[in-house]
Amino acid sequence: MVSSPHEAMHRIFQQYPTLFSGVSEVLGIDFPTPASVTVLPNDLTETSPVERRVDTLLRLDPEDGEPLLLAVEAQSGKNPDKPASWAYYASYLLNKYRLQPLLLVVCQDRATAEWAAREVSFGPRQWPLLTLRPLVAGPHNMPVITEPAEVRKDLALATLSAITHATHPDAGAILKSMTTVLRDTPQNIADPIIELIAQGLGKHPAAHLWRKLVAVDLSFYKSFISEEIRDEGRAQGRAEGRAEDILDILEVRGIDIPEAVRERVTDCDDPEILRHWHRRAVTAPTAEEIFEDE
């Protein structure tokens, strides 16, 4: 099974290390385009038993100027303990690598993004010792990309945008623009994008739409996630067909089908239960009685 949106929101920066250039441009922050990017170990554990891991850690090396460290954190909700952890990451990275650290927090909902973007000061009120000031990427500032031409300009940024806009009203148009472009994209490039978006959408309703689009629009791709999506689509199709058969039998027999029964049948995706209801539909005197003997 695919992992959570948390993984996709930071792993995309490992898959496309230059993505931060596009994100920083969207955020209006002027960072030079790195000449090279290195994915560094994310383990920030010290010799003490306390284990600390940043989600993704990159070293950005521009052609001119000093390199910097980019720590990417995926955040799914408000957590009052996080700012202190992030401050620890920053000071630890500065001490370990002797390079200036930068924190980017990626969110999927506006409330979490606004919370993460707050400046947090540590130390006495009269004389704060340090101030945490993360960069934040989320649905409040990532572009809504619904045109294939815009997707083609920067596939990595478009992928991150699709993930951060998992609950956007135009999620369907956003995802359709992705599959339109991916149809003409080499498989070795398209496959990780398909997987990242599937991970990133998690259990949001848009995830079901993405799986249907992949099964139909990208049916010629062969990867773990695309095969999994197609298998789920075929299973869902069989379940829907069985549910329709049950309702058809009852209707042909002249049995009244209350709305509650219709919804229970069409909402079920368990093949064994549907098979049992199908057999009962042939002889049950009322629609409700197909649910007996469960």
Side-chain angles (χ1 to χ4, degrees), residues 36-88:
S36 66
V37 177
T38 306
V39 179
L40 300 176
N42 66 342
D43 190 347
L44 306 184
T45 307
E46 296 187 275
T47 54
S48 64
V50 178
E51 181 176 314
R52 299 180 187 271
R53 292 181 185 270
V54 66
D55 287 335
T56 285
L57 180 61
L58 304 174
R59 172 176 169 146
L60 310 183
D61 288 279
E63 290 185 358
D64 297 312
E66 293 293 322
L68 61 84
L69 296 175
L70 175 66
V72 183
E73 285 277 287
Q75 192 65 28
S76 59
K78 300 176 183 179
N79 183 342
D81 295 329
K82 270 296 182 178
S85 296
W86 292 338
Y88 170 86

Side-chain angles (χ1 to χ4, degrees), residues 36-271:
S36 66
V37 177
T38 306
V39 179
L40 300 176
N42 66 342
D43 190 347
L44 306 184
T45 307
E46 296 187 275
T47 54
S48 64
V50 178
E51 181 176 314
R52 299 180 187 271
R53 292 181 185 270
V54 66
D55 287 335
T56 285
L57 180 61
L58 304 174
R59 172 176 169 146
L60 310 183
D61 288 279
E63 290 185 358
D64 297 312
E66 293 293 322
L68 61 84
L69 296 175
L70 175 66
V72 183
E73 285 277 287
Q75 192 65 28
S76 59
K78 300 176 183 179
N79 183 342
D81 295 329
K82 270 296 182 178
S85 296
W86 292 338
Y88 170 86
Y89 297 165
S91 60
Y92 178 90
L93 292 171
L94 179 61
N95 184 65
K96 179 176 181 178
Y97 293 99
R98 299 298 174 181
L99 296 174
Q100 294 302 321
L102 181 67
L103 173 65
L104 174 66
V105 182
V106 184
C107 308
Q108 282 184 306
D109 69 276
R110 188 183 186 98
T112 301
E114 291 177 346
W115 165 83
R118 297 176 308 157
E119 290 188 5
V120 180
S121 295
F122 298 91
R125 177 178 55 81
Q126 301 89 334
W127 194 269
L129 176 64
L130 59 89
T131 299
L132 179 73
R133 191 185 180 199
L135 279 175
V136 177
H140 65 302
N141 57 13
M142 286 293 99
V144 177
I145 302 177
T146 59
E147 295 298 328
E150 293 300 311
V151 173
R152 288 189 178 92
K153 289 180 181 178
D154 193 332
L155 265 174
L157 183 63
T159 301
L160 180 66
S161 176
I163 292 170
T164 55
H165 290 296
T167 60
H168 195 280
D170 292 331
I174 294 170
L175 297 177
K176 182 64 177 178
S177 70
M178 293 298 302
T179 56
T180 298
V181 172
L182 292 177
R183 278 202 301 264
D184 304 322
T185 302
Q187 184 173 351
N188 64 325
I189 297 174
D191 278 349
I193 291 175
I194 294 172
E195 295 185 22
L196 281 165
I197 293 177
Q199 287 179 325
L201 297 179
K203 296 182 179 180
H204 293 295
H208 178 64
L209 175 58
W210 178 245
R211 290 175 176 270
K212 289 179 64 177
L213 287 170
V214 169
V216 175
D217 292 355
L218 306 175
S219 59
F220 46 87
Y221 281 128
K222 304 294 182 183
S223 70
F224 172 78
I225 189 66
S226 61
E227 286 302 304
E228 182 183 84
I229 289 170
R230 278 190 281 277
D231 287 345
E232 289 182 1
R234 286 190 284 267
Q236 181 67 26
R238 288 193 294 270
E240 291 174 355
R242 179 74 73 173
E244 291 175 2
D245 289 344
I246 293 169
L247 298 176
D248 285 344
I249 290 172
L250 293 173
E251 288 176 355
V252 168
R253 293 182 59 219
I255 303 293
D256 180 62
I257 306 174
E259 189 60 30
V261 172
R262 187 179 299 274
E263 289 182 2
R264 185 173 176 183
V265 170
T266 56
D267 289 346
C268 180
D269 58 5
D270 187 311

